[in-house]
């Protein structure tokens, strides 16, 4: 169906749902004291080092459309990393794309000065800052060989580039299983200490403020939780700025639509955050846990799911839960590539999760508040922050979802004035949860004819909000008068 046809489907569905029978759910917002605070860079993105390997052959860093989409998420961290990060060798010479691609992993490939320059030009253009994942498998007698990293750092100093930070290796706790390389947690700590020492001698703009590690896989298995704890206990706590782990809910091969709307699946993240926060509190002084790479399903995401409308429920719930639990940053895998990219890797059009991220960045502000839903089945899930800059002082942003297959009437309670609410209701065209499109207040979101981002226009409501089945919403309460949000 063409987009112009979907407009009427979105609009009709939006109108009809307002008159259908609804389940009343109260969400209480406690604004008496914030739980914590996020930064403007709370939501970041990744790009795989694979594209360095391909010399950016399939991702045009100079494309105006791509730059427009990237700038729409600014400010943002860009973490360049992933499995191929542990095979990147920086070199001054130019490299033919085919020369790199025909090498079979795990064999090192090269990154030229031109490629490194291209990354920095892109991030500067779109308002992002770079976190680069260094090759931790570049070793001599089992010890990390820092010589190539030092060459890259010296070149960056020469070019006067600015870095947000660094990382050393991708999921190093899995080297034995993946590559047959035995790396103890003790040695990894020593390697990080070595990197930290090297960076301490670099100018602040190159050193950056961020050094993340140990970059484990999800904190589910006891051996992974132990690795995370031991890394911090044995000295990693003194060198990393942000202890981090990677998070995915499931394997793409077994993913289903039902998984994406299952409260039990969504709640699994809380357990992992608890493990990470417990270790971070125990072994560091005031540092924040990061989710350093994350999406819905590992192995590239599930086609028709991770790139579809239904992926929003995992993504939005993850952002809310992470902020509520004092996580410092959530880095989305990935901006481009595979099935979990924010933009489609074939058409270069925004996927539904791009629009969610774009709207989140525009509406959601810093301080985070406690919310409690009257829905005991945990299918109506909501979170609250101060509203982003640009709204009247004291404004509150509330966002969340209806995972029921029926309509919900949402009422916000607490010491709040709900007489003037700006509502951004998101729904699937024709209730197709696997759609590659998403409707905002009845209209399909899409770039303009000249590849610009559209205006995000709310509808005004008061007292309550009607939510269709499997929808999510952002609500700005402009008369909430929250003291912490007056700035």
């Amino acid at each position: 169906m063409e987009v112009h046809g979907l407009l009427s489907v979105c609009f009709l569905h939006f109108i009809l749902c307002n008159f259908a029978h609804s389940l009343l759910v109260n969400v209480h917002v406690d604004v008496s004291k914030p739980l914590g605070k996020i930064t403007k860079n709370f939501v970041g993105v990744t790009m795989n080092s694979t594209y360095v390997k391909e010399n950016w052959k399939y991702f045009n860093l100079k494309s105006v459309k791509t730059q427009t989409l990237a700038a729409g998420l600014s400010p943002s961290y860009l973490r360049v990393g992933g499995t191929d990060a542990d095979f990147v060798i920086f070199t001054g010479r130019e490299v033919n794309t085919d020369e790199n691609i025909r090498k079979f992993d795990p064999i090192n490939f090269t990154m030229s000065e031109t490629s490194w320059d291209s990354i920095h030009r892109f991030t500067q253009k779109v308002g992002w800052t770079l976190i680069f994942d260094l090759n931790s498998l570049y070793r001599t007698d089992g010890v990390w060989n820092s010589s190539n990293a030092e060459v890259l750092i010296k070149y960056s100093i020469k070019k006067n580039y600015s870095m947000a930070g660094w990382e050393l290796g991708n999921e190093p706790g899995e080297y034995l299983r993946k590559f047959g390389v035995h790396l103890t947690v003790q040695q990894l700590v020593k390697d990080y200490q070595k990197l930290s020492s090297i960076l301490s001698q670099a100018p602040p703009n190159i050193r950056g403020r961020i050094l993340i590690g140990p970059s484990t896989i999800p904190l589910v298995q006891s051996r992974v939780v132990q690795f995370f704890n031991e890394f911090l206990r044995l000295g990693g706590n003194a060198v990393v700025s942000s202890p981090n782990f990677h998070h995915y809910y499931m394997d793409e091969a077994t993913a289903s639509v039902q998984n994406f709307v299952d409260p039990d699946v969504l709640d699994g993240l809380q357990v992992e955050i608890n493990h990470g926060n417990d270790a971070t509190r125990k072994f560091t002084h005031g540092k924040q846990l990061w989710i350093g790479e994350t999406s819905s399903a590992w192995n590239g995401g599930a086609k028709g799911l991770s790139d579809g409308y239904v992926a929003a429920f995992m993504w939005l719930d993850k952002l809310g839960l992470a902020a509520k639990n004092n996580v410092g940053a959530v880095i989305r895998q990935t901006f481009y590539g595979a099935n979990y990219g924010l933009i489609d890797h074939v058409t270069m059009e925004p996927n539904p999760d791009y629009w969610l991220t774009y709207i989140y960045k525009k509406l959601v502000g810093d301080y985070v508040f406690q919310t409690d839903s009257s829905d005991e089945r945990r299918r109506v899930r909501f979170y609250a922050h101060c509203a982003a800059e640009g709204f009247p002082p004291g404004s509150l942003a509330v966002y969340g979802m209806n995972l029921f297959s029926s309509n919900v009437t949402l009422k916000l309670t607490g010491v709040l004035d709900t007489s003037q609410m700006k509502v951004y209701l998101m729904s699937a065209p024709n209730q197709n949860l696997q759609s590659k499109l998403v409707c905002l207040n009845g209209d399909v979101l899409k770039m303009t004819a000249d590849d610009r981002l559209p205006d995000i226009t709310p509808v005004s409501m008061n007292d309550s909000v009607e939510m269709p089945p499997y929808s999510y919403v952002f609500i700005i309460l402009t008369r909430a008068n929250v003291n912490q949000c007056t700035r």
Side-chain angles (χ1 to χ4, degrees):
M1 184 181 292
E2 295 180 359
V3 169
H4 71 266
L6 282 168
L7 292 174
S8 59
V9 172
C10 286
F11 186 71
L12 180 62
H13 177 58
F14 174 69
I15 294 297
L16 290 179
C17 284
N18 287 330
F19 295 96
H21 175 72
S22 293
L23 169 69
L24 175 64
V25 175
N26 295 312
V27 172
H28 180 81
V29 184
D30 181 0
V31 296
S32 61
K33 182 180 179 181
L35 298 173
K37 186 179 183 181
I38 65 170
T39 69
K40 292 181 179 180
N41 282 351
F42 173 69
V43 184
V45 295
T46 72
M47 285 284 287
N48 285 330
S49 298
T50 303
Y51 300 109
V52 174
K53 181 178 182 177
E54 296 168 345
N55 289 331
W56 306 98
K57 180 178 179 180
Y58 300 105
F59 182 77
N60 184 1
L61 293 166
K62 297 179 181 179
S63 162
V64 173
K65 181 177 182 178
T66 299
Q67 291 176 357
T68 299
L69 289 167
L73 305 185
S74 175
S76 177
Y77 295 122
L78 170 64
R79 178 253 190 177
V80 175
T83 301
D84 276 338
D86 284 312
F87 306 105
V88 177
I89 302 293
F90 178 69
T91 179
R93 72 183 182 89
E94 293 305 309
V95 182
N96 181 275
T97 301
D98 292 334
E99 181 182 343
N100 266 341
I101 293 177
R102 66 171 173 259
K103 293 179 179 178
F104 182 80
D105 287 342
I107 296 176
N108 292 332
F109 57 90
T110 51
M111 175 175 68
S112 67
E113 292 177 353
T114 300
S115 182
W116 186 242
D117 294 341
S118 296
I119 299 170
H120 280 278
R121 281 195 297 269
F122 177 76
T123 55
Q124 290 168 7
K125 179 77 173 178
V126 303
W128 291 358
T129 50
L130 180 64
I131 299 172
F132 191 74
D133 193 359
L134 295 164
N135 183 346
S136 177
L137 282 179
Y138 195 60
R139 297 185 167 269
T140 301
D141 298 326
V143 177
W144 179 55
N145 184 333
S146 64
S147 61
N148 192 252
E150 292 179 63
V151 172
L152 176 62
I153 290 168
K154 287 177 181 177
Y155 178 74
S156 300
I157 293 172
K158 175 185 173 182
K159 300 289 287 191
N160 197 31
Y161 286 139
S162 292
M163 297 290 300
W166 303 85
E167 185 177 9
L168 184 56
N170 182 72
E171 301 175 352
E174 307 306 305
Y175 284 172
L176 183 61
R177 177 175 62 87
K178 290 182 176 180
F179 311 119
V181 176
H182 181 62
L183 175 63
T184 65
V185 67
Q186 293 90 343
Q187 185 58 54
L188 181 63
V189 169
K190 291 178 182 178
D191 298 337
Y192 261 90
Q193 290 169 337
K194 186 176 185 179
L195 174 58
S196 179
S197 176
I198 293 167
L199 291 172
S200 70
Q201 300 172 51
N205 60 304
I206 300 300
R207 181 169 66 245
R209 297 178 296 102
I210 297 162
L211 180 58
I212 52 177
S215 308
T216 67
I217 62 173
L219 296 175
V220 175
Q221 302 175 55
S222 59
R223 68 167 182 86
V224 180
V225 176
Q226 182 180 3
F227 188 96
F228 186 92
N229 277 261
E230 287 295 281
F231 175 82
L232 296 178
R233 185 182 70 83
L234 294 173
N237 59 341
V239 292
V240 297
S241 62
S242 309
N244 77 319
F245 73 102
H246 297 174
H247 178 264
Y248 296 85
Y249 294 96
M250 69 196 88
D251 188 341
E252 60 85 18
T254 58
S256 68
V257 170
Q258 186 55 42
N259 293 144
F260 282 76
V261 296
D262 186 340
D264 291 334
V265 174
L266 300 185
D267 287 345
L269 175 58
Q270 182 67 65
V271 177
E272 298 185 51
I273 290 177
N274 289 346
H275 286 317
N277 272 338
D278 288 347
T280 301
R281 282 191 292 264
K282 182 176 181 180
F283 297 114
T284 75
H285 300 287
K287 293 181 179 179
Q288 283 185 298
L289 179 72
W290 275 31
I291 304 179
E293 176 191 304
T294 188
S295 193
S296 52
W298 63 79
N299 287 338
K303 187 173 178 58
L305 297 171
S306 298
D307 55 352
Y309 170 85
V310 74
F313 301 117
M314 285 184 170
W315 183 221
L316 187 61
D317 196 67
K318 182 174 294 182
L319 294 178
L321 203 59
K324 193 174 183 178
N325 283 274
N326 198 38
V327 172
V330 181
I331 312 299
R332 169 62 185 255
Q333 175 85 341
T334 174
F335 178 67
Y336 166 86
N339 294 313
Y340 43 33
L342 293 181
I343 59 177
D344 187 274
H345 65 283
V346 176
T347 66
M348 302 302 292
E349 293 296 326
N351 279 329
D353 272 6
Y354 174 87
W355 294 116
L356 186 160
T357 311
Y358 175 64
I359 293 173
Y360 182 99
K361 289 257 187 179
K362 281 188 167 296
L363 303 183
V364 178
D366 48 12
Y367 287 102
V368 187
F369 300 97
Q370 178 66 37
T371 58
D372 294 287
S373 173
S374 65
D375 167 39
E376 296 181 354
R377 295 175 63 183
R378 311 183 320 283
R379 289 185 173 276
V380 179
R381 307 164 73 92
F382 273 81
Y383 304 94
H385 295 233
C386 290
E389 295 174 5
F391 291 100
S395 294
L396 187 73
V398 180
Y399 59 93
M401 63 203 68
N402 170 23
L403 298 180
F404 281 108
S405 58
S406 55
N407 299 341
V408 161
T409 298
L410 174 73
K411 289 185 70 70
L412 301 176
T413 64
V415 189
L416 298 173
D417 184 342
T418 59
S419 64
Q420 190 175 93
M421 299 187 293
K422 296 182 181 297
V423 177
Y424 305 78
L425 182 64
M426 316 294 287
S427 59
N430 207 28
Q431 300 190 54
N432 176 10
L433 299 188
Q434 293 182 259
S435 174
K436 297 272 285 186
L437 301 173
V438 57
C439 303
L440 166 62
N441 293 332
D443 292 326
V444 170
L445 279 172
K446 57 190 180 75
M447 298 186 79
T448 64
D450 56 352
D451 284 337
R452 296 187 182 187
L453 293 169
D455 293 330
I456 303 301
T457 306
V459 295
S460 295
M461 295 186 185
N462 57 65
D463 187 45
S464 65
V465 176
E466 296 293 331
M467 296 189 67
Y470 301 115
S471 62
Y472 62 99
V473 69
F474 294 86
I475 306 167
I476 305 295
L477 284 74
T478 57
R479 293 179 177 173
N481 296 318
V482 179
N483 288 335
Q484 200 69 47
C485 306
T486 55
R487 284 185 285 276

